[in-house]
Amino acid sequence: VTERQDESQFCYDPFSKAVMANPLPFYKVLRDRYPAYYIDKYDTFVFSRFQDVLDILSRGDNVFVASDTTLPNPGDLERHNNGRIAELTLDPLPMNTLLPSPYYEDVRLAFIKPLRPKSVAAMADFIRNYAIERLDALLPLKRFDLTRDYAGEVSASVVCKLFGLPVTTARKVLDTINAGTATDPEHGGVDPVKGAQSTMELILPAVRARRAAGAQGEVPLIDGMMHYRINGRALADEEIALQLLPVFIGGTETTPKIAANGLMELAHHPDQLKSVRTDLAAHVPIAVEEMIRYCAPAQWFLRTAHKETVIAGQKIGVGQRVLFLYGAAARDEREFENPDQFIWNRRIPRTLAFGFGQHFCVGVHVARLELKIIVEQFLRRVSAYCFDMTRAVRLPSSFQWGWNSLPVIIENAA
Amino acid sequence: MASVKYIEANGTEHVVTVHGEISAMKAAVLNGVPGIDGDCGGSAACATCHVYVDPSWIGKTGAAENETERTMLEFTSIATETSRLACQITITEALDGLVLHLPEQQF
């Protein structure tokens, strides 16, 4: 795709091979020429500009609900709603990412205690110690996968701690989630059976263990859900596991890609790396915000209009879908100067990397803390590093598009 | 640049220096001030950044007048006439020295 391409030839489909290989050129055309791009076969409008995405997410009163799922496969979108909205059923309780208000807020309150800033801050020593342990083991190897072996295992260890699982299972957690969320490289989307079930099999034993132990609050993420009631009904173990699935996956597959990619950007900009190194404690939190903007792998989510509304001058009818592109919004020239450049200390007054509004990322505070620690500890221990880009892997993806594998070469450990 | 003082219910004070115009919620979260959660990211959709504006500053911040903010504050049983959602207070130089008191807990 180039700017010179004939307008009639431009075609954006989030599941096309070209988009899954590199969506960024498509995003620029969408932002510049088609801010409300309609995909007829999906009956879906695509929004790519920062302010339009923000407007969608700011719309309250259940105007938009993820009732057609939030991360659809192509087949989900090919089934049109034709102006009808499926009735919400609460038994069994659908995954909370799909729930409208007030049900979503109630579920969130039940499990969010360990994800709030004060609880998260108390995890700093655990995360730092685990990062140091990983670096102790990895640095002597001189070469390792920065995404998986370092950042990925640290993130997975945090998920293990939140779910009351032994941290020795971190690698298994990481590999299971990575395998389960891999996009079909031919047709896009994720195998729902392989994707969810393999991960559920890791969560369910943790839920059952908490029920057997009495669920008195020692593992507040799960114990909170044990005490939650929907219309007076307690949830079954499978329902609890499903409610916590987004935390389990989201906490493991996103942060490592940002940390590893961010460290690579610093390596590719030695002047910026030098500036960051002059005061790591003060500068890493600032650099992390740019890493989040520039490297966040989640490309988009979907909502269905439950009421007729207008976004960016485009009328959206009941049952039609909106697909909002976080990846495009993060590089919108209308919001950020020179958006395709990594600038460690740029002003970032607003971000959509964690979403906004009702379904704002519940793990935002954990993610920021992990990123700060992972990046700072690496830079404290490694004074010179580079990457073997011939062996780096960025799998085609319709959702999590980022560096799955970044082989780092340690040139000098401090 | 502006300075904001957050005072926890137990009296612990946190002074944060704010560069640029960001909300009092974001300034607190980015600087690790305990007791401001911001579950919705700043869209006045969760009421987990409830603060009491010090009475000496309510004239400058203004009271909660927006219907969305007022509705969310009604969810908290401990709201008073100086209650605001920190995400709806934009820190500008005019608010340099602002004092915000935190409730014992967000609901």
Side-chain angles (χ1 to χ4, degrees), chain B residues 19-60:
Chain B
H19 302 272
E21 293 190 2
I22 61 173
S23 75
M25 181 278 284
K26 191 171 181 185
V29 169
L30 290 178
N31 288 279
V33 176
I36 291 189
D37 298 328
D39 286 356
C40 75
S43 63
C46 70
T48 61
C49 63
H50 174 206
V51 294
Y52 304 107
V53 177
D54 191 272
S56 64
W57 281 94
I58 195 70
K60 285 196 172 174

Side-chain angles (χ1 to χ4, degrees), chain A residues 195-250:
Chain A
Q197 281 191 359
S198 55
T199 309
M200 287 283 281
E201 284 167 13
L202 291 174
I203 305 175
L204 259 175
V207 174
R208 288 177 182 137
R210 290 311 305 156
R211 191 177 294 284
Q216 293 304 306
E218 299 87 347
V219 181
L221 194 77
I222 298 175
D223 295 2
M225 290 306 302
M226 293 275 176
H227 297 285
Y228 169 74
R229 299 290 181 273
I230 176 82
N231 296 334
R233 180 177 70 85
L235 299 187
D237 289 351
E238 291 76 9
E239 289 177 290
I240 292 174
L242 184 66
Q243 295 308 315
L244 298 176
L245 186 68
V247 177
F248 203 80
I249 294 177

Side-chain angles (χ1 to χ4, degrees), chain A residues 15 44 64-79 81 85-86 88 94-99 189-190 192 300-306 319-324 359 399:
Chain A
F15 305 110
T44 294
F64 292 114
V65 178
S67 49
D68 285 314
T69 95
T70 182
L71 278 175
N73 282 336
D76 299 321
L77 292 179
E78 283 161 7
R79 286 188 294 276
N81 289 318
I85 297 297
L88 176 67
M95 190 157 64
N96 60 71
T97 49
L98 314 185
L99 290 175
V190 173
W300 55 268
F301 286 102
L302 186 88
R303 297 282 189 277
T304 302
H306 281 220
Q320 292 190 299
R321 293 83 166 230
V322 292
L323 188 157
F324 39 95
H359 285 276
F399 174 49

Side-chain angles (χ1 to χ4, degrees), chain A residues 343-357:
Chain A
I343 302 170
W344 77 274
N345 57 351
R346 76 158 66 236
R347 270 195 78 230
I348 305 177
R350 307 191 293 180
T351 179
L352 288 170
F354 298 104
F356 194 70

Side-chain angles (χ1 to χ4, degrees), chain A residues 32-294:
Chain A
D32 289 349
R33 305 217 305 249
Y34 308 103
Y37 182 82
Y38 182 65
I39 305 177
D40 184 58
K41 69 174 173 175
Y42 300 146
D43 195 18
T44 294
F45 290 96
V46 178
F47 293 93
S48 49
R49 292 182 179 175
F50 188 100
Q51 187 59 51
D52 296 340
V53 175
L54 187 63
D55 287 348
I56 291 169
L57 294 170
S58 305
R59 207 60 59 98
D61 202 23
N62 291 330
V63 170
F64 292 114
V65 178
S67 49
D68 285 314
T69 95
T70 182
L71 278 175
N73 282 336
D76 299 321
L77 292 179
E78 283 161 7
R79 286 188 294 276
H80 294 192
N81 289 318
N82 298 316
R84 291 186 299 274
I85 297 297
E87 195 178 335
L88 176 67
T89 56
L90 299 172
D91 188 2
L93 189 64
M95 190 157 64
N96 60 71
T97 49
L98 314 185
L99 290 175
S101 184
Y103 303 107
Y104 172 70
E105 287 83 347
D106 286 346
V107 175
R108 178 175 65 190
L109 273 178
F111 71 75
I112 202 168
K113 188 178 169 191
L115 300 174
R116 283 187 159 162
K118 201 169 180 178
S119 303
V120 169
M123 294 178 72
D125 285 346
F126 166 82
I127 302 172
R128 190 176 300 106
N129 290 337
Y130 198 86
I132 291 170
E133 272 181 38
R134 287 306 300 153
L135 289 170
D136 286 344
L138 293 167
L139 293 182
L141 303 176
K142 299 290 184 190
R143 280 170 176 260
F144 55 90
D145 184 342
L146 193 59
T147 307
R148 196 175 301 159
D149 296 334
Y150 175 51
E153 286 215 25
V154 174
S155 293
S157 77
V158 176
V159 165
C160 289
K161 186 169 174 60
L162 286 168
F163 279 79
L165 294 166
V167 291
T168 49
T169 58
R171 185 66 183 213
K172 185 179 177 188
V173 165
L174 181 66
D175 289 343
T176 303
I177 289 171
N178 283 340
T181 56
T183 293
D184 179 338
E186 290 297 317
H187 307 103
V190 173
D191 182 334
V193 176
K194 199 169 69 177
Q197 281 191 359
S198 55
T199 309
M200 287 283 281
E201 284 167 13
L202 291 174
I203 305 175
L204 259 175
V207 174
R208 288 177 182 137
R210 290 311 305 156
R211 191 177 294 284
Q216 293 304 306
E218 299 87 347
V219 181
L221 194 77
I222 298 175
D223 295 2
M225 290 306 302
M226 293 275 176
H227 297 285
Y228 169 74
R229 299 290 181 273
I230 176 82
N231 296 334
R233 180 177 70 85
L235 299 187
D237 289 351
E238 291 76 9
E239 289 177 290
I240 292 174
L242 184 66
Q243 295 308 315
L244 298 176
L245 186 68
V247 177
F248 203 80
I249 294 177
T252 310
E253 71 167 354
T254 304
T255 316
K257 295 185 182 80
I258 297 174
N261 192 345
L263 283 165
M264 182 178 75
E265 292 302 328
L266 287 178
H268 289 172
H269 298 85
D271 53 331
Q272 297 194 37
L273 178 55
K274 192 176 171 187
S275 298
V276 172
R277 281 194 188 280
T278 57
D279 186 346
L280 286 176
H283 293 169
V284 166
I286 298 168
V288 157
E289 293 303 307
E290 172 68 342
M291 292 177 183
I292 290 167
R293 181 194 74 86
Y294 195 80

